[in-house]
Amino acid sequence: MQTSNLCQNCNCKVDFGIFDCSNRKIDPQFSPDDWQSLSTSEFDVKSVLLVSTGMKEVTQFPSMNVTLLDLSHNEIATIESKCFMNLTLLQVLDLSHNRLKSEALTPDIFVGHYSPNEYVPMKHLRVLRLSANELHSLNQDLFENLPSLEELSLDLNPFKVIDQQSEIAIASIDRLVSLDLSYMELEDIPKYLFHTPQRLQYLNLTGNLLQIVPPALTYAKGLKWLSVDENPISSIVVGTEFPSLKQLTFLSLSYMTQLRVIGRGAFSGLEALEEIHITNNPHLSFIHGHAFMRNDTDNPERFDWSPIKRLYLHNNNISYLDAQLLVQWDSMEVIDIRVNPWACDCSNRWVLLSLLPIIERTTPAILNNIDCNSPPQMAGLSMVDLEHKHTHMRCPDGAGNNPSNDGALLMGLLIGVLLAIPFTAAIWCVYKRGCFGLFGRGNSTAYSRAFYSRTTLNEEF
C-alpha cells in the first residue's frame, strides 16, 4: 500500500481508519494536495484528529469519508464559509476549546454540498461541540443546515444571558436530545427554551448562577437526565419545587454552597426518578420527610413515592433522616449517608436498627465515616459499631437533658443507698449502747449532779 505524505509526520492507524496529527504543529492547515495524498494511498479515513495543533483558521476540507472531525484545543478564530460541505458523511464535529466569537460562527459554515437547485444540508451531522470558546450569543439561523443535530455543547462560554437570538437558534433544533449549558454564567433559562425540542433527554445546567429551579423545565417533558450542580439555590420548597418530569430517572444536586433546605414535595413530580445525588452541600441540614411523597394518581387518598434505587447523601450537614423519606429502603441498590453530623438519639434509632443493616448487605464498602456528632457523650462514635453492639439510642427528656448516661447515674445512686444503710445502722447502734463520748449514758449520775442544786421546802413552794 502506498504511504501518504501526511502519514510520514502524523499517525495513520489504517486498520481503524484514524488519521491522528494531534500535538503536531501544522499551522497553516494542510493543503488540498496533502489531503489528496491520503485518498491515493487507499487509506479510507473515518476519523481525523487535529487536536492541539496550533491551528488558527480552518479552510475547506476536500471530499473524504470522514465521520468524526476533532479540531479541539486549538486557536481557531476563523472558519471558512462552506468549510465542511465536502465531508458529506460527517457525524461528529468538535470545535471546543478554541477562540471562536459569535460573529465568526455563521450559518453558511455548515452549508452542505451544492446541488443544481440548492445547497444540501449537512444531513448526517449529529454532534456539535462548541464548548469553551468566546461565544456570547448565537445567530438565530446557525443550525438551519443541521437537520439531524442531536447533541449540542455550549458549556464554558460566557453567555451570561440566553438572548432572543440564541433562544430561537436552540429552540429550532427539533431533534435535540442532549444539551450542555453548564458554566455559562446564566442567571435564568428562557421560559420557552425547551418547548420545541420535545426529544430533549439530557440537560446539564451545572455551574451557573440559578437561584431557583428553572420554571422552563416545565416544558422539558421528555427529560431523563438533569444536573443543576454548583448553582446558588438556597431552598427547594413549595412554589419552587421541581415541575412534573415524568420520565426523569437521574437528578444531581451537588456542590451547592447555598442550599440549606429541601422541603415538602420538592421531588413529588419526579415519578420515575431512580437515582439522585444530593452530595457535598456544606449547609444542607434539612430534608423534609415528604420530599418525595405525592398523592397517588388513581386514588388521591393514598400516597406514592419516587422509585429511588440509588440515593447519595454523603458529605452534607444532615443530622436527622426521616424514615418516611422513602418506603422501599430494603430493595434499594445504593444508600450513601457518609460524612454527615448524625444525631445518635431516638429519632435516628431506625437508622441504626434498619438502615445500616441494609447498607451493610448491599454496599459494605460505604459503611465508613458514618459517625455520631451529638449528643456530646456520643460524639465521634461510629454508628456501625453502635449497631453491632445493639446500642439503644435514647432521646432528651422534657427538660432537654439527654439521659444516655441515666443507667450509670442510677447505679451510682443505688450503690450510695446500699452503703448508707449499714453506716446509719452502725451510728444508731453506737448511740444506743452509750459509746458516744460526752453524751454517753455510762455516767449518768455525775452528769445529773453537776447541774442539780437542792432547794429548801419553802423555795419549792
Side-chain angles (χ1 to χ4, degrees):
M1 180 182 292
Q2 183 181 352
T3 304
S4 167
N5 295 332
L6 294 182
C7 292
Q8 296 177 5
N9 298 314
C10 302
N11 188 7
C12 292
K13 301 177 182 178
V14 178
D15 292 340
F16 300 97
I18 298 175
F19 173 75
D20 187 355
C21 209
S22 300
N23 300 303
R24 311 283 177 90
K25 297 302 177 183
I26 64 170
D27 194 42
Q29 187 182 331
F30 297 129
S31 68
D33 292 337
D34 292 328
W35 289 117
Q36 186 64 30
S37 68
L38 282 178
S39 301
T40 58
S41 66
E42 300 180 4
F43 177 22
D44 189 13
V45 183
K46 298 295 184 182
S47 300
V48 173
L49 309 179
L50 301 175
V51 180
S52 299
T53 63
M55 292 175 60
K56 297 180 180 178
E57 180 181 6
V58 185
T59 56
Q60 190 178 79
F61 284 87
S63 179
M64 292 187 290
N65 293 327
V66 173
T67 58
L68 183 151
L69 176 59
D70 190 344
L71 302 173
S72 65
H73 295 274
N74 286 296
E75 300 177 21
I76 299 171
T78 304
I79 301 177
E80 185 180 7
S81 177
K82 308 167 190 173
C83 182
F84 310 109
M85 65 180 297
N86 294 317
L87 305 180
T88 57
L89 301 179
L90 189 62
Q91 298 180 24
V92 179
L93 175 59
D94 194 339
L95 292 168
S96 64
H97 295 271
N98 280 290
R99 296 185 176 179
L100 292 170
K101 296 183 182 296
S102 300
E103 302 77 29
L105 210 56
T106 58
D108 59 1
I109 289 175
F110 304 112
V111 167
H113 203 275
Y114 180 75
S115 73
N117 300 318
E118 59 181 348
Y119 284 107
V120 178
M122 296 182 64
K123 59 182 179 179
H124 293 292
L125 190 68
R126 298 182 300 100
V127 179
L128 177 60
R129 299 179 183 134
L130 298 171
S131 313
N133 279 281
E134 299 174 17
L135 304 174
H136 292 83
S137 180
L138 299 176
N139 186 302
Q140 67 180 30
D141 299 320
L142 183 61
F143 308 115
E144 65 178 357
N145 295 307
L146 304 176
S148 301
L149 189 61
E150 297 179 356
E151 180 181 324
L152 175 64
S153 301
L154 294 171
D155 51 299
L156 293 166
N157 281 288
F159 269 64
K160 298 184 184 296
V161 174
I162 297 180
D163 58 20
Q164 187 174 13
Q165 286 195 139
S166 303
E167 180 180 358
I168 293 173
I170 296 171
S172 69
I173 312 174
D174 59 353
R175 298 185 64 176
L176 190 62
V177 173
S178 176
L179 178 62
D180 192 343
L181 300 178
S182 61
Y183 301 102
M184 291 172 59
E185 304 177 39
L186 301 175
E187 296 183 3
D188 191 20
I189 304 296
K191 184 176 181 180
Y192 298 106
L193 182 65
F194 310 124
H195 185 270
T196 302
Q198 291 294 300
R199 301 184 186 185
L200 186 64
Q201 297 180 18
Y202 304 91
L203 177 61
N204 192 350
L205 298 175
T206 298
N208 283 296
L209 302 174
L210 305 173
Q211 296 187 25
I212 61 171
V213 176
L217 293 175
T218 302
Y219 296 97
K221 299 295 186 182
L223 211 58
K224 293 183 177 180
W225 189 100
L226 172 64
S227 172
V228 290
D229 294 351
E230 298 180 53
N231 277 280
I233 298 173
S234 61
S235 63
I236 305 173
V237 294
V238 176
T240 60
E241 71 275 17
F242 281 87
S244 178
L245 299 172
K246 295 185 178 182
Q247 297 186 47
L248 192 73
T249 59
F250 176 95
L251 174 64
S252 186
L253 299 166
S254 300
Y255 299 96
M256 301 175 72
T257 57
Q258 304 299 317
L259 186 61
R260 285 171 165 77
V261 175
I262 294 177
R264 178 192 296 269
F267 312 117
S268 60
L270 311 181
E271 299 181 14
L273 193 63
E274 296 181 356
E275 180 171 337
I276 185 167
H277 293 246
I278 307 175
T279 69
N280 298 285
N281 302 305
H283 299 295
L284 176 62
S285 59
F286 179 75
I287 299 180
H288 197 283
H290 295 167
F292 293 95
M293 190 176 73
R294 65 181 179 278
N295 292 98
D296 190 286
T297 306
D298 299 325
N299 186 355
E301 296 182 359
R302 298 181 60 184
F303 297 106
D304 202 358
W305 283 260
S306 303
I308 303 293
K309 295 181 179 178
R310 294 170 292 279
L311 175 66
Y312 296 86
L313 289 178
H314 60 268
N315 204 23
N316 293 297
N317 194 36
I318 301 170
S319 297
Y320 293 95
L321 193 63
D322 197 305
Q324 296 300 312
L325 183 67
L326 297 170
V327 294
Q328 69 276 17
W329 296 107
D330 58 349
S331 62
M332 292 178 62
E333 298 173 3
V334 178
I335 305 170
D336 190 347
I337 62 172
R338 295 173 296 168
V339 197
N340 280 287
W342 294 110
C344 291
D345 58 34
C346 68
S347 296
N348 276 335
R349 186 179 298 155
W350 80 275
V351 175
L352 214 64
L353 299 178
S354 303
L355 200 57
L356 289 182
I358 296 173
I359 299 175
E360 192 167 11
R361 185 183 72 247
T362 56
T363 51
I366 57 175
L367 273 174
N368 58 311
N369 296 321
I370 305 176
D371 301 325
C372 302
N373 185 68
S374 63
Q377 59 270 30
M378 305 283 278
L381 297 179
S382 167
M383 292 185 74
V384 178
D385 290 343
L386 297 179
E387 186 261 328
H388 289 168
K389 296 175 182 177
H390 305 290
T391 305
H392 295 288
M393 297 192 300
R394 305 178 67 184
C395 271
D397 57 25
N401 301 310
N402 196 298
S404 298
N405 289 331
D406 282 0
L409 179 61
L410 292 174
M411 182 61 70
L413 289 174
L414 180 60
I415 293 174
V417 170
L418 292 176
L419 290 176
I421 291 174
F423 183 73
T424 304
I427 293 177
W428 178 253
C429 179
V430 171
Y431 174 76
K432 294 292 288 183
R433 294 186 178 184
C435 304
F436 213 63
L438 178 63
F439 299 98
R441 297 173 62 89
N443 195 15
S444 58
T445 305
Y447 174 82
S448 301
R449 288 175 180 173
F451 293 93
Y452 176 74
S453 298
R454 292 179 61 86
T455 60
T456 61
L457 183 63
N458 293 331
E459 289 175 341
E460 291 179 358
F461 288 97

